[in-house]
Amino acid sequence: MSSNHTTVNHLNNRRILLAVSGGIAAYKIPELVRQLIKSGAEVRVIMTHSACQFVTPLTLQIVSEHPVYADLFELEQAATETPGSQMSHIELARWADLILVAPATANTIAKISQGMADDLLSTTLLASSAPLMVAPAMNSQMWESDATQDNITLLTQRGITIVGPASGELACGEVGAGRLVEPSELLKALNDHFAIGPLSGIKVTITAGPTREPIDPVRYITNRSSGKMGYALATAARRLGADVRLVSGPVSMAQPPGINLIPVETAQEMLSSVMVDPGEIFIACAAVADYHLADVAEEKMKRSDSSLTLKLEPNPDILKSVAQLPSPPFTVGFAAETERLEEYALRKMEQKGIDMIAANLVGDVDSGFDHDHNRLSVYWRKGATQLDLASKSEIAEQLMALVIKQFSKQ
Ligand code: PMT
């Protein structure tokens, strides 16, 4: 975006998966990749076999600085053989902050609208929950056909962004709508996508899941947190445009798309990872173990018939440490209680010196630890509200709305 000094660059560190289908306009894609990389975006490219007739994978590999595949099985083999350096199509689908299909042929648009998955490109698209942008390019008759227009309507109804096509002289000699928009316009559409959202450009760090405090090489102390609440918050914050760091204890949740996931085990590791960048908003949703073993056994402890005493020492309070930073972020804590919710939550807000606290009863049969639903009592310096029982995704969105309101008053 450096060509236009009045435009703010929102592409830095964004992960763009470029899906190229087979049209003459594919010749414009290397230039788009070049501009994206110049804007600080990370770019991966996948292609259809037809696209390779118009621009070579090697060209796109050189400009994107990453291997480019058109064949699903070749990609999967490479991912199996070099797991650290090559992502499988599922990993690519999860990695992307956004997928841009450009050029999108009539055939590819039809396949997306029907949910077909018969090659690398269509399979990856179907496996991804990342926002999708489609830039059509085709002959004007094909573009204006009822079939293509119905498919475009379907994609629009699903919330997919359609960019173009532009009008003008087409490769087939006709004049009309069907040209792929210029790389600079695609770049602008991508930049605008990331500019949207009240948390656009705001760094949000969230902790999630349990911590695991080792006893010996095979045993540990932990708790029942599944990570569902913290991951839902990370997804909600991302959807609002934030740059999200999710510092997560061991859980079996999939990595939410577009989120910087930092896996940790112990409370000490969680503290160190959080302190690398607590962001402008810090939300402590993790159920951090309050204690760790004073001495972790180096070898597996042997069973005996006598009783065993483990000496525990307190873990650092991550939330309090963040709130005590010289320029602290807006801090949001959770309180997991089995009784006297309001009293204990308000006490925690005071003791930790934080801006907001979301309290949940963790003994309930329908909410709290590991449930798909939750209900929260939320308190901040000058107010309080209840979030009634709802899915953790809905609760996360409601809580983020409260956070934004209080954060923007700061
Ligand atoms: O993961 P799920 O299965 O979806 O369940 C969600 C949840 C119940 C874990 C979540 O909603 C929740 O309540 N998280 C906080 C759990 C907890 O540890 O609460 P606490 O009352 O013990 O701690 C108070 C606050 O201090 C929390 O924000 C906690 O993250 C933070 N803390 C606690 C101890 C510590 N050493 N460092 C901390 O930062």
Side-chain angles (χ1 to χ4, degrees):
M1 305 306 299
S2 52
S3 56
N4 182 351
H5 62 270
T6 59
T7 307
V8 178
N9 179 17
H10 298 284
L11 290 166
N12 197 29
N13 290 328
R14 299 295 184 179
R15 297 161 161 187
I16 315 282
L17 179 60
L18 208 46
V20 186
S21 65
I24 175 69
Y27 81 88
K28 294 180 178 175
I29 300 305
E31 174 56 17
L32 173 63
V33 175
R34 209 186 56 77
Q35 291 191 26
L36 278 169
I37 300 235
K38 211 171 148 197
S39 302
E42 268 192 75
V43 184
R44 300 283 196 284
V45 183
I46 52 172
M47 307 172 76
T48 61
H49 285 292
S50 320
C52 304
Q53 302 290 328
F54 296 97
V55 58
T56 69
L58 183 61
T59 306
L60 289 166
Q61 184 164 317
I62 291 166
V63 283
S64 70
E65 298 163 10
H66 289 283
V68 172
Y69 287 90
D71 190 274
L72 178 62
F73 300 101
E74 276 177 25
L75 171 70
E76 294 310 298
Q77 192 172 347
T80 311
E81 284 167 5
T82 51
S85 56
Q86 180 56 54
M87 285 185 268
S88 70
H89 76 286
I90 296 289
E91 288 166 326
L92 274 175
R94 289 185 187 144
W95 169 86
D97 289 337
L98 179 140
I99 303 181
L100 169 66
V101 188
T105 60
N107 181 49
T108 294
I109 289 169
K111 280 166 62 168
I112 301 170
S113 74
Q114 297 310 306
M116 287 176 67
D118 64 351
D119 60 7
L120 171 60
L121 188 143
S122 53
T123 308
T124 308
L125 259 49
L126 201 59
S128 182
S129 57
L132 189 59
M133 202 176 267
V134 168
M138 64 196 77
N139 160 279
S140 57
Q141 295 290 332
M142 292 170 87
W143 170 248
E144 281 155 16
S145 72
D146 289 347
T148 301
Q149 287 305 308
D150 284 353
N151 289 334
I152 289 289
T153 304
L154 212 57
L155 297 192
T156 312
Q157 284 167 353
R158 286 181 200 154
I160 293 170
T161 309
I162 311 294
V163 189
S167 291
E169 197 174 325
L170 303 172
C172 57
E174 289 176 15
V175 175
R179 282 169 68 97
L180 179 71
V181 297
E182 292 305 314
S184 57
E185 279 179 61
L186 285 171
L187 197 74
K188 183 176 179 311
L190 291 166
N191 196 55
D192 287 350
H193 168 87
F194 290 112
I196 293 164
L199 289 180
S200 178
I202 302 289
K203 289 184 183 179
V204 178
T205 296
I206 298 172
T207 64
T211 62
R212 205 181 254 184
E213 309 299 333
I215 297 172
D216 69 12
V218 296
R219 303 179 180 94
Y220 50 78
I221 298 173
T222 190
N223 59 62
R224 294 175 50 210
S225 170
S226 62
K228 286 176 189 170
M229 193 65 241
Y231 278 56
L233 281 165
T235 304
R238 183 71 200 91
R239 203 172 296 132
L240 291 161
D243 277 333
V244 183
R245 290 176 82 237
L246 177 60
V247 183
S248 173
V251 292
S252 51
M253 303 282 297
Q255 176 168 3
I259 281 160
N260 183 6
L261 177 72
I262 298 136
V264 295
E265 284 218 0
T266 63
Q268 186 55 54
E269 285 170 18
M270 189 171 268
L271 173 70
S272 307
S273 294
V274 163
M275 285 305 184
V276 169
D277 190 356
E280 288 142 83
I281 297 175
F282 174 65
I283 305 178
C285 187
V288 184
D290 287 319
Y291 297 92
H292 66 273
L293 266 280
D295 295 299
V296 178
E298 281 182 18
E299 305 300 337
K300 184 182 170 193
M301 290 163 66
K302 294 285 171 262
R303 185 186 183 285
S304 91
D305 286 336
S306 48
S307 63
L308 172 70
T309 304
L310 295 174
K311 187 172 173 219
L312 300 177
E313 284 185 348
N315 270 330
D317 188 323
I318 302 167
L319 180 54
K320 195 171 178 180
S321 311
V322 171
Q324 285 178 344
L325 286 169
S327 314
F330 184 84
T331 41
V332 184
F334 270 73
E337 309 294 348
T338 53
E339 55 169 347
R340 294 154 76 177
L341 195 60
E342 179 169 355
E343 181 191 335
Y344 290 155
L346 289 175
R347 192 183 299 169
K348 275 179 188 166
M349 183 158 81
E350 206 49 53
Q351 282 171 349
K352 291 174 193 261
I354 57 175
D355 299 298
M356 185 181 265
I357 194 150
N360 39 199
L361 277 173
V362 285
D364 273 10
V365 287
D366 57 359
S367 61
F369 277 119
D370 203 19
H371 286 287
D372 290 333
H373 293 78
N374 210 3
R375 57 165 73 75
L376 296 175
S377 302
V378 188
Y379 306 92
W380 57 97
R381 298 277 153 199
K382 288 186 182 152
T385 193
Q386 301 288 322
L387 304 182
D388 293 335
L389 187 69
S391 71
K392 282 185 175 168
S393 321
E394 287 169 71
I395 290 285
E397 282 182 10
Q398 293 173 35
L399 182 59
M400 285 313 301
L402 292 172
V403 169
I404 289 171
K405 211 164 169 190
Q406 297 309 316
F407 169 70
S408 56
K409 284 187 190 163
Q410 275 195 328

